[in-house]
Amino acid sequence: MSAPNVRVLVAVKRVVDYAAKIRVNSAGTAVETAGVKFSINPFDENSTEAAVQLKEKLEKEKKKVEVIAVSCGPNKAQETLRVALAMGADRAIHVDVGEKEELQPLAVAKVLKKIVEDEKPDLVLLGKQAIDDDSSQTGPMLAGLLNWPQASFASKIELAEADKTITVTREIDGGLETIKAPLPAIVTSDLRLNTPRYTSLPNIMKAKKKPLKVIKLADLGLDTKARFEVLKVSEPAKRSGGKIVESVDELLDKLKNEAKVL
Amino acid sequence: MFQLLYLGREYPAGEEFFHKRLKAAFQKNAHLTDPKEIQKRIDLGDYVCKEIEAMYHINKYRAMKKRYYEDHHDQDLVQRQANIQSMADKA
């Protein structure tokens, strides 16, 4: 196969499913993960969809696009990669970090930098944040490490293959910002970027045959030590029940005497 | 049919609930022999598949929006602010 015109790297993370009930573990240091459903991070789903749409669009113009999905995590992260493959990615890379270790954003950014140096993509797509730790750091840190232009919170991506630039519309407070950057670039996707496709069963079967490369974290020779320590994880305060008052007088009385706001 | 079974795995009311309904829906039409009629039911099945996919997507989208977006990110609100601004400019 000849070299693709555009190569896109999509980073995906395996997170606790958005619909799962979240409980704090007994030590109060993390979220309980045993017996909880996991799935692909919703924002990473957006970025995978964006990559696949780009591929479909450029392939109509007879251009080759290769979409590579990458995930850092335990063995189970491969399930997440299979989802990305079923959505339309061409191949996947799993960076095996073992069962115990949890990588922090900087460490993930370092790993991704290494992958980027090996694979030489024109575009790296990430979700704007993961719904488990909500750091929203990996994309910007990767851009920093590589010294590449970045566009975070993208709600629209247009890639001009001919002059190797990308135009991204970003969602910022109270409006939209459109920026243009030369490739290679980093883009992190926002919720409204697109509607991720639902994987069909035949595609999932096909995804099982797509190539998936496993790299051991230790073999990359990177310093991925934790740089900060999670001291405490706690649940939000429970909402105390409201009261229905019978009359305006009663409301006034309660505001004065119970809530003491008047 | 398998796609429907597969979709059922994520059904909010539970997979079992979905499977019972699904089986009942298939059995209701088990007596059909006319190929045209059968095709009609298959098309209906495909339609239901799409509906369920759309429902899952909107569920997820709403959950994300509720969790991560304040009102000021809302497109409607942005539009409304722009409208107010343009009215103010005219006045």
Side-chain angles (χ1 to χ4, degrees):
Chain A
M1 194 178 117
S2 59
N5 299 63
V6 178
R7 193 177 273 134
V8 184
L9 187 74
V10 184
V12 294
K13 185 175 184 182
R14 174 179 180 262
V15 297
V16 174
D17 191 73
Y18 80 101
K21 196 131 181 62
I22 304 294
R23 286 173 324 225
V24 174
N25 68 2
S26 52
T29 51
V31 168
E32 184 61 61
T33 50
V36 184
K37 189 185 165 203
F38 279 80
S39 57
I40 179 170
N41 178 29
F43 296 112
D44 295 344
E45 230 175 357
N46 284 111
S47 41
T48 311
E49 175 67 32
V52 175
Q53 279 182 11
L54 193 73
K55 178 183 159 81
E56 286 167 350
K57 187 166 162 251
L58 285 177
E59 271 177 1
K60 269 189 205 137
E61 301 164 19
K62 300 269 174 279
K63 300 211 171 88
K64 271 210 187 79
V65 179
E66 188 180 33
V67 178
I68 312 164
V70 59
S71 187
C72 307
N75 253 329
K76 290 265 175 67
Q78 292 189 6
E79 289 171 16
T80 308
L81 284 170
R82 293 288 175 203
V83 174
L85 290 172
M87 283 175 79
D90 297 296
R91 58 192 175 90
I93 301 168
H94 170 219
V95 180
D96 190 359
V97 305
E99 297 301 316
K100 280 272 149 64
E101 210 172 343
E102 176 115 354
L103 289 186
Q104 289 179 352
L106 180 61
V108 177
K110 280 181 185 167
V111 172
L112 289 178
K113 180 179 178 238
K114 192 93 179 165
I115 304 279
V116 165
E117 282 164 357
D118 289 347
E119 302 290 343
K120 300 190 176 41
D122 302 286
L123 179 68
V124 183
L125 279 163
L126 303 95
K128 68 163 181 162
Q129 61 185 202
I131 61 163
D132 51 0
D133 58 11
D134 292 316
S135 299
S136 201
Q137 292 168 355
T138 308
M141 278 182 181
L142 178 62
L145 289 177
L146 287 164
N147 204 14
W148 281 12
Q150 64 158 332
S152 47
F153 313 128
S155 64
K156 196 175 170 200
I157 302 173
E158 277 172 70
L159 189 128
E161 198 267 331
D163 56 356
K164 293 265 172 207
T165 58
I166 188 162
T167 310
V168 180
T169 306
R170 308 176 57 222
E171 288 196 13
I172 54 171
D173 281 355
L176 298 168
E177 182 185 55
T178 307
I179 56 174
K180 193 173 174 184
L183 293 178
I186 312 272
V187 175
T188 72
S189 57
D190 208 329
L191 187 58
R192 273 180 277 267
L193 179 60
N194 50 36
T195 309
R197 65 196 65 191
Y198 204 88
T199 48
S200 68
L201 209 49
N203 280 346
I204 289 173
M205 301 311 274
K206 271 183 232 156
K208 292 201 167 121
K209 294 199 185 90
K210 287 185 180 175
L212 190 152
K213 189 164 89 180
V214 182
I215 304 173
K216 286 256 180 264
L217 177 67
D219 295 344
L220 291 175
L222 294 167
D223 171 22
T224 54
K225 270 207 304 285
R227 298 287 282 266
F228 58 85
E229 186 190 351
V230 177
L231 296 179
K232 196 171 162 233
V233 174
S234 59
E235 285 177 33
K238 286 227 163 43
R239 184 182 176 276
S240 55
K243 268 183 219 148
I244 294 173
V245 290
E246 296 287 332
S247 65
V248 177
D249 290 338
E250 198 189 334
L251 174 66
L252 279 175
D253 177 63
K254 284 208 187 303
L255 285 175
K256 271 185 191 143
N257 300 323
E258 275 183 37
K260 297 205 188 331
V261 289
L262 289 177
Chain B
M1 177 200 164
F2 290 110
Q3 181 69 13
L4 272 166
L5 269 173
Y6 170 71
L7 280 163
R9 300 200 310 187
E10 274 189 59
Y11 200 73
E15 192 182 353
E16 221 187 288
F17 174 91
F18 187 89
H19 275 189
K20 272 189 196 149
R21 299 278 180 113
L22 183 63
K23 197 170 177 193
F26 267 91
Q27 279 181 338
K28 202 176 77 191
N29 294 321
H31 64 277
L32 293 177
T33 45
D34 181 10
K36 260 190 197 157
E37 277 292 304
I38 293 172
Q39 191 54 46
K40 227 165 110 187
R41 297 304 195 286
I42 293 173
D43 291 347
L44 179 74
D46 289 341
Y47 171 73
V48 172
C49 265
K50 287 201 189 94
E51 285 285 293
I52 295 171
E53 280 174 24
M55 183 187 77
Y56 287 165
H57 173 257
I58 201 92
N59 272 358
K60 194 183 258 182
Y61 177 82
R62 284 195 182 142
M64 287 303 111
K65 197 168 137 96
K66 207 167 123 194
R67 267 177 233 176
Y68 290 116
Y69 294 86
E70 301 286 331
D71 282 343
H72 66 259
H73 279 283
D74 208 303
Q75 292 289 313
D76 296 344
L77 213 83
V78 171
Q79 190 56 48
R80 220 177 300 156
Q81 275 171 348
N83 288 350
I84 293 169
Q85 193 58 47
S86 69
M87 273 193 276
D89 290 343
K90 272 183 208 156

